[in-house]
Amino acid sequence: MRAQREAEIVTRSSPPVFDAAFAAQFRELLTWRRDVRRFRRDALPEGMIEQLLGEMELSPSVGHSQPWRWVRVRDEAQRASVRASFTRCNADALADYEGERARLYASLKLEGMREAPEQFAVFCDHATERGHGLGRRTMPEMLDYSVVAAITQFWLAARVQGIGVGWVSILEPEVVREALAAPPGWKLIAWLCVGYPEEETDMPELVRAGWENGQ
């Protein structure tokens, strides 16, 4: 499938034209792409995840290395291990705050791991030979950045379909890797919760909660 998509890109004779209406819609897409923590439990349509991953693979990567490794996590025991990691890390983070800031932190919903019907661990394969090292000899972190770019592309593709994505980073990467039996050379970049959001808004939840304005 990947080879077919790449062949289609090569054989196009002229680029598409993106008009002003499309540009306005694209800005709307960027505005409404939000980090979702409150999900409905409804399953996504058959084939939707495969479609989104296909669109994600069009993302740029250093040296065309495509170092992203998406692990779709459905096993409840594995999910529970990762939730336990979040609980530990979140408690440690809360302990770093005091007073009103601690109260506000404790009130935040920072993950949707119990509700989101689809969840992914996204790794960067630092041992990949694809790309033959092009573009990363002096900046090996470009592999990680390539995975972040792919996640962003997946996020936008999901939002086009009315699907929300939440990035959970309050985790112990090694615990997640071991829970999923991921290879030693894979570095955890993100845990993503994916599903239909309970509510739609163009304002970041942390802004609405007052986290950034010091309330």
Side-chain angles (χ1 to χ4, degrees):
M1 181 181 294
R2 177 185 296 170
Q4 179 182 352
R5 281 196 298 270
E6 291 179 353
E8 289 174 352
I9 293 172
V10 170
T11 56
R12 289 176 183 169
S13 59
S14 59
V17 175
F18 302 111
D19 60 16
F22 177 88
Q25 281 195 307
F26 182 68
R27 183 175 178 80
E28 285 291 291
L29 172 63
L30 298 178
T31 301
W32 284 83
R33 185 239 28 98
R34 289 296 161 216
D35 191 355
V36 176
R37 289 88 179 269
R38 305 173 195 277
F39 294 91
R40 293 167 16 207
R41 296 177 184 267
D42 311 49
L44 300 185
E46 188 71 24
M48 179 56 68
I49 288 296
E50 290 74 16
Q51 175 182 328
L52 296 179
L53 290 176
E55 293 171 349
M56 173 277 299
E57 286 186 347
L58 297 173
S59 179
S61 61
V62 62
H64 200 54
S65 57
Q66 299 185 318
W68 45 76
R69 304 292 180 260
W70 291 64
V71 179
R72 191 176 183 178
V73 185
R74 291 170 160 175
D75 182 79
E76 180 52 38
Q78 291 177 326
R79 288 188 177 191
S81 293
V82 178
R83 287 198 304 270
S85 176
F86 171 83
T87 299
R88 289 190 296 270
C89 294
N90 197 44
D92 289 343
L94 175 59
D96 285 341
Y97 296 107
E98 297 179 349
E100 180 60 19
R101 181 63 66 179
R103 184 204 64 76
L104 182 56
Y105 183 91
S107 72
L108 298 174
K109 182 171 175 55
L110 298 175
E111 49 79 30
M113 300 168 75
R114 292 188 180 277
E115 302 86 8
E118 296 286 350
Q119 298 182 40
F120 289 90
V122 187
F123 296 90
C124 179
D125 183 2
H126 284 189
T128 184
E129 295 182 1
R130 185 180 174 107
H132 309 288
L134 177 65
R136 51 189 163 98
R137 183 175 180 274
T138 58
M139 293 183 66
E141 64 271 21
M142 288 299 296
L143 284 175
D144 294 345
Y145 300 160
S146 296
V147 177
V148 173
I151 291 169
T152 301
Q153 190 143 314
F154 176 91
W155 209 328
L156 293 173
R159 188 63 190 86
V160 168
Q161 302 294 334
I163 296 168
V165 176
W167 186 328
V168 184
S169 61
I170 308 173
L171 295 170
E172 300 152 313
E174 189 60 22
V175 169
V176 176
R177 194 189 63 77
E178 291 181 356
L180 302 183
W186 288 16
K187 175 184 176 181
L188 181 69
I189 302 298
W191 183 276
L192 300 182
C193 297
V194 182
Y196 292 113
E198 277 191 353
E199 60 178 350
E200 302 280 5
T201 178
D202 62 350
M203 182 180 292
E205 184 163 340
L206 291 181
V207 174
R208 287 186 291 157
W211 183 256
E212 272 304 303
N213 60 18
Q215 291 181 3

